[in-house]
Amino acid sequence: MSHFHILAITDIAGGHLPHFMLGGYMLLLVWLCYLGYRKGKATEEDYYLAGRGQGAIVTSLTIMATFFSSAALLGIPGVVYRDGVSFFLFALNLPVAGAAVYLLGDRIRKLGKARGYVTPADLVGDYYGGTEVRLLAAATSALYVLPYVIMQIKAGGYLAQRLFPETPPLEFFGSSCTMYETGVWALSFLTMVYVLVGGMRSVAWTDVIQGILLIFGMLVAGLATIAYFGGLGGYFEAVSALPAKALSAPGYSDKWNAGMLFTICAFASLGSIIQPGQWMRFYAAKDSNTLRKSALVFSVVLPVCFIFGIMLVALGGQVLFPPEITAEGIIPHPSVGTKSSEVDQIVIVMIQRVVPEMLGITFGAVVVTMILIAVLAASMSTADSNLHALSAVLTRDVYDRFIRPQADERERTWVGRIVIVLATMAAVALVEWSQKAGAFNPLELISQLMLLAIAFSSQLLPIAIDVLFLNKGTRQGAIAGLTAGIGLVLLLTIKPEWSFGITKIVHVSAIGIAANAIVFGLVSRVTKKVPQKRIDEFRRIIKAKG
Amino acid sequence: MLETRLSKILASIFLFALIMGPGPGLYLVNPSTDNPSSTTFLGMPVLFAWASFWFFVQAGVVLVAYGRLWTNGNDLDE
């Protein structure tokens, strides 16, 4: 059976429903991009931070949409489908990240506004002084961003392949493009254009639409699943009959023990919320109240979407499409996929089963298409934010500091745009190359890169806490701590066996943060303090109201 | 940071929820694979009920902090 059976049998729009709805979505993004361009000013601050004037609704939704990646509707439900209910506890990382939106974000915003920062490295580099901390922070940011862009672009190809499974390869200038390649190019090109043209304002406005689509998709899919089983009673009766392994920790893959879940919730969550794209959103917020409201919305709405939405869909998937446990691992039901990595298709398969039951074929097809577009939106909203952040990091922290310090604001903004084009091209080329290289498994490599990216981003946490709260660290301590944290994360990613099994019970980001913090603290005790005048200035800015 | 009684109480509850929910506390309720009757609570999978409960605790802390502490741009200082 085609995964898109419902879309194939509906007669709406002559069988071209997905084409029309996808086209409408893309036109809407182009329109928002145009509006962002019309409203923008030709300044660096406006291009990267929308003039530091974003209100609560835009800030809430752009922070949420950036946090959601293709993992929200594909990867995370895939893990619930594979491992069972133990992975629901993963959602408890969201209130932690949400609280940090205010507790860390508002201090970052105040310092950014008072001292004209644009990137994370601007703040930590200015506080500790010298170029090394700035370069290490910039490297941390860049290492986080690129794998994330690649991941999202891949998801675009993956989705196009499944939205239009019967469509033959398209011919462009004499060369043939599969639907996968068409999806990769379409997502990359459209995202690149609206980031290029409208900067942060367009990115944030498109994130609003994408954020709304995501919330809609996750909640409607959850409601439809419960309705399919005849209400909450029927749903829980069905899932309670699953094998005990699916209803207990550490799940089928034996991965989700308390140590792993706790360290993800406590540390990786904070690493994700201080990634460069989010950090710049804190700078862009209008005032404290904006981040206060955003923190509340993030802490409450996002976990509801996961725990009472998309995760219920995936657990229901275990009932309707039970996976098979084999010696090779957990293989999804044949209707879901044939390889263990295809467990992430569970939502796509489930919505086509359950949504028409609740809404009928015609309206069901419209809603199914909207949920599929929400998957695309998840990818685009993360890709755009990360492309935009990478542009700022390479322009402000590298080009402006080390290549052409005399460059004016206009030149820097144009260099930023060139960076976006080059980064997009590089990401597409890597995705295309990996797809064609037979023995090379791009999905596994990118997944490893994604985990590595979060672990990298987390390494900014100890120095961020020091700058924002403690003011005890030194420049040498920050350099040593960052180097130790990044180095250990790299080492344990390449050679996990050198952790003596610790990486099986503690997330690697927490190990990196622990090493980073210990080295940072020890070196800071014996090296020269940050000038008291600078500490006082930072404290004064942070204590100020508004 | 954490200068008032309320801020200390809220931070403690939030940390406790983190330890009890996804942390070691989950082994208090984690069903045994040998005893299928322990997998449900009020008809729901027990770990689902556990995750939902600790989410409501975390969300409650954030709500109180939003209303009582984060009121003039100074996080937990007031």
Side-chain angles (χ1 to χ4, degrees), chain A residues 165-176:
Chain A
E166 312 299 334
T167 308
L170 304 175
E171 295 291 328
F172 288 111
F173 304 108
S175 62
S176 175

Side-chain angles (χ1 to χ4, degrees), chain A residues 136 213 248 263 353 429 522 538:
Chain A
L136 277 168
L213 267 172
S248 59
T263 47
R353 170 70 76 90
L522 289 175
F538 272 60

Side-chain angles (χ1 to χ4, degrees), chain A residues 85-86 88-96 98-99 102-103 106-107 110 233 236-237 239-240 242 244-245 247-250 256-259 261-262 265-266 288-289 291-293 295-296 299-301 303-304 307-308 312 315 469 542-546, chain B residues 1 3 14-15 17-27 30-36 39-56 58-60 62-78:
Chain A
V85 77
S86 58
F88 273 63
L89 292 157
F90 168 86
L92 298 182
N93 87 86
L94 297 165
V96 180
Y102 182 77
L103 296 175
D106 192 44
R107 289 171 177 239
K110 285 177 178 174
F236 284 128
E237 194 181 333
V239 297
S240 295
L242 285 169
K245 191 86 174 158
L247 298 174
S248 59
W256 308 112
N257 54 64
L261 286 165
F262 176 76
C265 290
S288 291
N289 202 30
L291 287 172
R292 175 176 163 258
K293 287 177 180 163
L296 181 69
S299 303
V300 176
V301 175
V304 167
I307 298 174
F308 306 109
L312 292 181
L315 194 64
F469 297 97
I542 286 170
K543 289 281 176 193
K545 307 284 182 194
Chain B
M1 186 74 178
E3 285 171 7
F14 199 80
L15 184 63
L18 205 54
I19 292 168
M20 291 302 287
L26 88 87
Y27 291 125
N30 193 33
S32 158
T33 48
D34 305 328
N35 178 14
T39 57
T40 58
F41 173 74
L42 297 176
M44 292 178 273
V46 70
L47 286 187
F48 171 79
W50 192 249
S52 304
F53 173 74
W54 291 111
F55 157 63
F56 286 120
Q58 288 180 320
V62 172
L63 267 168
V64 174
Y66 173 85
R68 301 282 301 276
L69 295 176
W70 302 346
T71 47
N72 63 358
N74 265 359
D75 53 58
L76 298 178
D77 290 345
E78 294 87 307

Side-chain angles (χ1 to χ4, degrees), chain A residues 301-334:
Chain A
V301 175
L302 231 59
V304 167
C305 291
F306 276 97
I307 298 174
F308 306 109
I310 207 72
M311 285 176 157
L312 292 181
V313 180
L315 194 64
Q318 273 219 2
V319 176
L320 297 181
F321 305 100
E324 192 186 346
I325 315 298
T326 68
E328 288 78 41
I330 301 146
I331 306 296
H333 187 277

